[in-house]
Amino acid sequence: MSEIVLMSDPKVAVIPVVECGERLVDVRAGGSLLVDARKQDPADAFAYLREGVLERLLKAQTMLPRGIRLLFVEGYRPPSLQREYFEEYAGQLRAIHPQWSAGQVHAAASRYVSPPDIAPHSAGAAVDLTLADARGHELDLGTRLNADPEESEGACYTHAANISEEARANRRLLGTVLTAAGLVNYPTEWWHWSFGDRYWALIAGKTAACCGPVETTPLG
């Protein structure tokens, strides 16, 4: 397995953004995707994505076997909420590892929550999702969606060895269709995929990202 590039890596931050101006759209419109409300926020921002990302999700869904669907959990995340999530998790790590330097805490926190200045979710370019059957019941992908590395003993990593064969097969299926649709995965989170952001640009070998942070909620 190749070395994992974390969101905190300077190689990500130096990627320039040439904003495409693509609008944020509500993934619930049309009812094509199953949408879970566990990450719903007061402004309903969670259900929005850049239009091109949604188009790629719908393309990926057509490649799934009959009876299996994508289950959307979270898309756009306002920068203020991203900062809140990052600082909360960083605080937990500082409490667990008081001997760590600020740099170590920052890097470790980025395994689970992206640093706010480059966060794909805040660009409307990232989606957290899983697989479900025709009745909307989640398939086994090894951990709960949003399990952190400490809780899951590293099983949240996309290519973790400590999961069942069934979970591994389901992760492989999810990855196959999303990769074919042009998205890239963050390898510390099997559920996190993106298109158009800085991390995507680095992994896909692009010279620039096309989606930068969106400072206001889609409904604001």
Side-chain angles (χ1 to χ4, degrees), residues 26 28 35-48 72-76 78 81 85 146 219:
D26 191 334
R28 297 166 296 189
V35 178
D36 187 292
R38 76 186 75 171
K39 297 293 286 184
Q40 188 169 17
D41 59 287
D44 262 2
F46 86 105
Y48 282 74
F72 173 99
V73 175
E74 186 179 18
Y76 175 68
L81 185 58
Y85 284 172
N146 283 327
L219 302 183

Side-chain angles (χ1 to χ4, degrees), residues 61-124:
Q61 184 158 262
T62 65
M63 293 183 266
L64 289 170
R66 185 173 182 178
I68 298 179
R69 298 182 66 184
L70 297 177
L71 178 62
F72 173 99
V73 175
E74 186 179 18
Y76 175 68
R77 189 182 296 158
S80 59
L81 185 58
Q82 184 70 29
R83 284 191 290 272
E84 179 183 324
Y85 284 172
F86 187 83
E87 287 305 321
E88 180 182 7
Y89 185 52
Q92 293 173 13
L93 291 174
R94 280 192 289 268
I96 296 170
H97 304 284
Q99 76 281 11
W100 281 6
S101 67
Q104 286 175 304
V105 170
H106 187 82
S110 76
R111 298 170 304 163
Y112 181 58
V113 186
S114 174
D117 53 333
I118 54 94
H121 279 290
S122 294

